[in-house]
Amino acid sequence: MKMDETKGRLYSGAGFGFLHTILMAFSMIVPAFYFSSLDISIAVYGFLIVIGDVISFFMKPVIGYLTDKYGERKFLIGLTFFFFFSLFLIGLTKNVIIITLLKIVSGIASAILFVIIIIYGLRTVRERPDSKVGTFGATKNLGWVLGLLMPGFVIDRLGIMSAFYLVLVIGILWLVYMFRATKKYERVKKIKVRPSLLFIKKIPLLVIYKSMDLAVFTAFLFFFTRYALQSLGMSRGIVSIIVVIETIGFSFCQYIVGRVSNKPRRKYWVPLCILSHIVGILIMVYAKTLIEYSIAGLFMGIAGGFIDIWLFSRISESVKKYDKGVFYGTFGWSYDLATIIGGQIPVLFVSIGLNVFASMLVFPGVMLIGYLLSKKEE
């Protein structure tokens, strides 16, 4: 294994991830602003959030396996185009049926692309992975900061359509960069791979941890955005700043924890993740001021940094190079489940007259149960 390939994949993959998270943030927050302006009900709103992830759930393990055989390049290029172009087209219509179809396409492409970028960037990482995982994740996730910050200010000044045109420009630049950067790692011939199904035993706990962690972020992003705009009367720019604080905490925590983490120290990261989520959610439930909402988001972001270092370092060490596609593809169920659960549990709480933010305590609660059960089995 040449170190040049490991570094090349790690850094270019982090760059792809940075651009992807910018547009992922756009795909979450811009449609949220757009749907609010169309007066779509909360039930339809929740459905549009999760529909693409339901379909991508079944596709990820298959596509992950195909990357093990054929490489990632063609999948990266094709899915990038479908993701940003279908997202751009959403802004050209007010027809709910067409919006739904485009949301399905962009959601599927984005969800699968997210996992393939991880496969591409971390495939050759194995020894002492903590700092590499921290650098990769921190760089990649900084895209959330720009992606969540830009739409509010751009839309407030130039209108909603300006954000959709910005998606188109970023997408084209990303596609050109990806086409050139991946050329040196293009697979000429397919590789014979026979993935062992023994990895299935490792998946459930990892999926529980990551899906519940991301469900907190999903619920915070979607429902705080809606609540802040419609009930608190905040501007889109202020909403974006509060959400960005969460992502800064996430990225900063990944980088710092990656620098101090090693195999013995990893045992602390899952409990710290759960505790940080609970503190953040409790602050959120009782928050009255901008500072309190910001602190709540910061704690939730820090929680995500802890769990990512634990997860991806563990996977990098224990999974073989040409099994990582199918492994990450299956582990990628976490991201679909997070969007589905994070988008629907708060809707359920609202329908029975309970606090939408209190519903988020369910997620670290499930993580805690999974953690305690795993300790009993050790």
Side-chain angles (χ1 to χ4, degrees), residues 312-329:
F312 292 112
S313 296
R314 189 182 178 106
I315 293 169
S316 294
E317 285 180 341
S318 62
V319 181
K320 295 179 182 178
K321 177 180 176 181
Y322 291 115
D323 287 340
K324 284 186 176 177
V326 69
F327 191 97
Y328 277 122

Side-chain angles (χ1 to χ4, degrees), residues 210-365:
K210 191 56 190 173
S211 59
M212 293 301 106
D213 168 62
L214 280 172
V216 174
F217 174 65
T218 301
F220 173 71
L221 176 60
F222 291 146
F223 294 96
F224 173 71
T225 297
R226 185 181 179 91
Y227 175 72
L229 290 174
Q230 297 186 352
S231 300
L232 300 179
M234 292 183 182
S235 70
R236 293 180 177 90
I238 294 298
V239 172
S240 296
I241 289 173
I242 293 173
V243 176
V244 159
I245 290 172
E246 194 272 355
T247 63
I248 290 173
F250 180 34
S251 188
F252 184 75
C253 182
Q254 276 187 302
Y255 184 79
I256 296 299
V257 174
R259 286 292 176 275
V260 302
S261 182
N262 54 40
K263 202 165 187 176
R265 290 174 182 167
R266 283 181 215 151
K267 64 183 179 182
Y268 301 113
W269 304 154
V270 175
L272 284 172
C273 169
I274 295 169
L275 178 62
S276 188
H277 270 316
I278 291 172
V279 171
I281 293 166
L282 288 175
I283 294 172
M284 190 79 186
V285 171
Y286 296 104
K288 301 292 184 184
T289 67
L290 290 177
I291 293 176
E292 290 170 332
Y293 285 122
S294 299
I295 294 172
L298 184 62
F299 271 100
M300 288 183 252
I302 289 170
F306 282 121
I307 200 64
D308 269 22
I309 297 298
W310 185 89
L311 284 166
F312 292 112
S313 296
R314 189 182 178 106
I315 293 169
S316 294
E317 285 180 341
S318 62
V319 181
K320 295 179 182 178
K321 177 180 176 181
Y322 291 115
D323 287 340
K324 284 186 176 177
V326 69
F327 191 97
Y328 277 122
T330 309
F331 171 72
W333 287 342
S334 308
Y335 302 98
D336 304 312
L337 289 172
T339 306
I340 294 166
I341 295 168
Q344 296 305 309
I345 293 293
V347 172
L348 175 63
F349 269 59
V350 169
S351 68
I352 59 178
L354 297 176
N355 186 294
V356 66
F357 300 123
S359 69
M360 295 162 64
L361 287 168
V362 171
F363 308 136

Side-chain angles (χ1 to χ4, degrees), residues 12 44 72 77 87 95 122 136 149 173 177 183 204 216 243 265:
S12 60
V44 175
E72 303 89 6
I77 292 170
L87 180 59
N95 186 297
L122 299 182
F136 177 80
L149 193 59
L173 294 174
Y177 168 48
K183 197 168 185 179
V216 174
V243 176
R265 290 174 182 167

Side-chain angles (χ1 to χ4, degrees), residues 108-126:
I108 293 170
S110 177
I112 297 174
L113 187 59
F114 188 91
V115 172
I116 296 178
I117 289 172
I118 294 173
I119 296 168
Y120 171 86
L122 299 182
R123 185 181 287 283
T124 58
V125 173
R126 189 168 180 84

Side-chain angles (χ1 to χ4, degrees), residues 133-185:
V133 166
T135 300
F136 177 80
T139 304
K140 178 169 68 71
N141 289 306
L142 276 175
W144 288 107
V145 177
L146 286 177
L148 292 170
L149 193 59
M150 284 193 291
F153 290 101
V154 169
I155 293 168
D156 281 344
R157 288 160 178 74
L158 303 175
I160 190 73
M161 274 308 302
S162 62
F164 287 105
Y165 282 110
L166 190 53
V167 165
L168 183 63
V169 172
I170 294 172
I172 292 171
L173 294 174
W174 175 20
L175 197 62
V176 172
Y177 168 48
M178 182 178 286
F179 183 84
R180 299 180 65 179
T182 57
K183 197 168 185 179
K184 64 176 71 174
Y185 307 120

